[in-house]
């Protein structure tokens, strides 16, 4: 059991979750891949990062204050529609969508924007300097889109899930998950300071790699990969209209282990490493070790 002193320390360190956006980039599998289906873009975060260091995740990150005030040309469902789907207010919905597009561009070079409401840029390489400036927060996303006369293509995104980092963790995020098809011609890369490796894998292959000890997955990442195994094409995923309950896992600490409980968790603990394995063996208090920057 957790002592009163330990629990008091956890309570004192508890923080309100920060808004974050994560984008699950998908593409139809290449013809040579047996069985067809879809592939997802994954990156392994640099070890030692404050949140999710060393974890395999989808692109994403925290909402920046500039996302909420960005004046952008917008194509797709209005912010009110996004607010309804994510059970929030329009101002926050706009910031979440802007953050989703911005973070995807920063972390893997994929830009869901175009010169008009029905086009997407074919090559983002000539925006390389702007990408670096965005990551360094030397340039806001709204300024970038306005300077390049680009329209934010919200219609290329779909709302997918909502996870909140457990109470008791040192860094907490209220993360909205989106899905989006990788635009034709654009190349998802790992040219970011936050990633040490990137790859495209089928959901099944990503889970097999995790089961074999080749990666560490946070519960939201594992859950999305598990769900995406059921789809045979990008078109199927984009046509889906999933229910989006707010999932707040419960952090459980006892004398031997640290773990979280969440809906559909059984397969997560049956095989594959999870971020609480080492923490549990060392009996490290929650929020002191691999607390994540966002729930990807």
């Amino acid at each position: 059991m957790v002592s009163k002193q330990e629990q008091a320390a956890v309570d004192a360190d508890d923080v309100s979750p920060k808004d974050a956006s994560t984008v699950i980039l998908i593409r139809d599998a290449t013809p040579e891949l047996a069985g067809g289906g879809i592939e997802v873009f994954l990156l392994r975060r640099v070890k030692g990062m404050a949140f999710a260091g060393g974890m395999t995740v989808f692109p994403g990150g925290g909402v920046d204050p500039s996302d909420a005030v960005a004046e952008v040309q917008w194509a797709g469902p209005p912010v009110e529609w996004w607010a309804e789907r994510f059970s929030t207010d329009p101002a926050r919905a706009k910031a979440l969508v802007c953050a989703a597009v911005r973070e995807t561009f920063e972390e893997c070079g994929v830009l869901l924007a175009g010169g008009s409401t029905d086009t997407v840029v074919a090559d983002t390489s000539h925006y390389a300097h702007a990408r670096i400036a965005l990551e360094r927060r030397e340039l806001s996303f709204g300024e970038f889109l306005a300077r390049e006369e680009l329209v934010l293509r919200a219609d290329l995104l779909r709302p997918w899930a909502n996870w909140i980092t457990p109470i008791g963790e040192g860094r907490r995020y209220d993360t909205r998950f989106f899905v989006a098809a990788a635009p034709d011609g654009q190349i998802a890369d790992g040219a970011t300071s936050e990633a040490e490796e990137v790859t495209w894998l089928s959901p099944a292959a990503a889970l097999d790699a995790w089961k074999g000890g080749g990666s560490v997955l946070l519960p939201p990442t594992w859950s999305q990969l598990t769900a995406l195994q059921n789809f045979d094409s990008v078109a199927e995923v984009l046509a889906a209209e999933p229910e989006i309950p707010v999932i707040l896992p419960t952090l459980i600490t006892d004398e031997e282990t640290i773990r979280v409980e969440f809906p559909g968790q059984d397969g997560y603990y049956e095989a594959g490493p999870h971020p609480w394995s080492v923490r549990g063996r060392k009996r490290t208090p929650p929020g002191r070790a691999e607390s994540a920057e966002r729930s990807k």
Side-chain angles (χ1 to χ4, degrees):
M1 298 294 291
V2 180
S3 69
K4 291 183 178 179
Q5 291 81 1
E6 288 175 323
Q7 187 60 55
V10 170
D11 293 342
D13 286 348
D14 185 32
V15 294
S16 297
K18 176 183 177 181
D19 286 330
S21 297
T22 288
V23 177
I24 307 170
L25 276 180
I26 57 175
R27 70 183 185 187
D28 287 314
T30 53
E32 58 268 22
L33 183 65
I38 64 170
E39 294 179 317
V40 298
F41 182 79
L42 295 163
L43 58 87
R44 179 176 295 164
R45 287 169 63 78
V46 174
K47 293 180 180 178
M49 294 191 69
F51 189 95
M55 310 291 175
T56 294
V57 300
F58 307 114
V63 172
D64 188 81
S66 65
D67 295 323
V69 297
E71 295 294 332
V72 300
Q73 296 186 69
W74 184 284
V79 293
E80 291 79 10
W81 182 86
W82 288 99
E84 180 180 358
R85 294 294 286 126
F86 279 134
S87 301
T88 189
D89 59 81
R92 178 172 288 175
K94 174 188 173 183
L96 289 164
V97 173
C98 287
V101 178
R102 175 183 55 75
E103 284 285 340
T104 304
F105 180 50
E106 288 180 17
E107 295 205 346
C108 65
V110 169
L111 181 58
L112 302 176
S116 65
T117 59
D118 58 358
T119 61
V120 184
V121 294
D123 180 8
T124 65
S125 61
H126 53 285
Y127 301 129
H129 292 298
R131 180 180 172 187
I132 294 172
L134 284 165
E135 187 174 4
R136 293 175 177 172
R137 298 299 180 264
E138 297 169 352
L139 176 71
S140 76
F141 194 53
E143 291 169 340
F144 163 66
L145 292 178
R147 186 180 71 188
E148 302 298 336
E149 300 183 339
L150 295 173
V151 179
L152 186 149
R153 293 291 305 277
D155 56 324
L156 300 180
L157 292 162
R158 300 290 188 277
W160 195 254
N162 184 187
W163 285 65
I164 301 178
T165 312
I167 295 171
E169 287 284 13
R171 291 174 183 251
R172 301 186 61 223
Y173 291 84
D174 185 350
T175 303
R176 269 66 170 201
F177 285 76
F178 301 76
V179 292
D184 291 339
Q186 294 193 28
I187 299 175
D189 60 35
T192 170
S193 61
E194 296 186 6
E196 63 181 28
E197 181 182 355
V198 299
T199 187
W200 284 95
L201 289 173
S202 70
L207 290 169
D208 285 343
W210 164 75
K211 291 176 184 177
S215 64
V216 181
L217 301 176
L218 290 163
T221 313
W222 176 86
S223 294
Q224 309 323 312
L225 289 171
T226 300
L228 287 168
Q229 289 186 110
N230 300 317
F231 293 90
D232 293 325
S233 68
V234 167
E236 279 189 23
V237 177
L238 298 182
E241 297 182 359
E243 294 295 322
I244 305 179
V246 177
I247 298 177
L248 174 59
T250 302
L251 186 67
I252 304 296
T253 306
D254 57 33
E255 292 186 354
E256 298 298 329
T257 60
I258 296 173
R259 67 186 188 281
V260 296
E261 293 185 349
F262 59 94
Q265 68 182 17
D266 291 346
Y268 184 68
Y269 288 107
E270 288 174 0
H274 56 83
W276 297 275
S277 300
V278 175
R279 291 168 63 182
R281 288 196 297 272
K282 294 182 178 180
R283 295 166 61 183
T284 306
R288 296 295 195 275
E290 292 172 335
S291 181
E293 170 191 341
R294 55 191 147 89
S295 297
K296 286 180 179 175

